[in-house]
Amino acid sequence: MVLSFLSITLVLLWLDLGIGAVATASFVPSPPGAALPPPGGRVYGERSTAIAGVIVKFAETMNGIRPVRAFRREKTNDAEFGTLNRRHERSNGDALLEMARYVVGSRLVANTAVAGMCLWGAYRVAEGS
């Protein structure tokens, strides 16, 4: 991947220094391997923990349904499940918001680079070079 990035960058710069520089500059805000900004990892970790809690509670309740009924814990289990489910709902919403921020930011950088390359190309055509 690094070799591909370097070779493509060199070819772009060799073909046209201005357009190659704009294209290369678009990679600066998002270094290779940085899939999510730092808060994203924390948010996705919270979401994973929350869904795990929902799944564990559901499995425990369903596997032990007879004792739950025998000890009349239906309402208690339902309340506990509701709390866990609300936690998952909130953390999932936070994760979706974080992904939306990342997508918007990365698209803004990419579209700015494309616009810069188009403007540079238009300038070169108008100049006659």
Side-chain angles (χ1 to χ4, degrees):
M1 181 163 138
V2 173
L3 187 58
S4 295
F5 174 75
L6 289 176
S7 61
I8 290 169
T9 301
L10 290 175
V11 169
L12 283 172
L13 292 171
W14 179 69
L15 288 173
D16 190 307
L17 186 62
I19 292 177
V22 172
T24 304
S26 70
F27 290 107
V28 173
S30 57
L36 292 173
R42 180 186 51 79
V43 169
Y44 279 92
E46 288 173 8
R47 184 182 75 161
S48 296
T49 302
I51 190 62
V54 169
I55 291 169
V56 166
K57 185 63 177 174
F58 179 78
E60 286 176 351
T61 301
M62 290 298 112
N63 287 333
I65 196 69
R66 287 188 179 149
V68 168
R69 287 184 178 167
F71 291 105
R72 299 186 182 268
R73 289 194 41 91
E74 292 97 338
K75 288 183 181 180
T76 304
N77 278 17
D78 190 39
E80 290 172 359
F81 185 80
T83 301
L84 291 169
N85 202 31
R86 282 188 295 280
R87 177 180 172 215
H88 172 254
E89 182 180 14
R90 188 175 53 252
S91 64
N92 194 45
D94 292 344
L96 289 173
L97 182 62
E98 194 62 39
M99 179 57 83
R101 287 180 184 143
Y102 175 74
V103 168
V104 167
S106 64
R107 295 237 171 114
L108 179 66
V109 169
N111 290 340
T112 302
V114 170
M117 291 180 342
C118 290
L119 288 173
W120 179 257
Y123 171 75
R124 297 281 307 266
V125 168
E127 183 182 73
S129 62

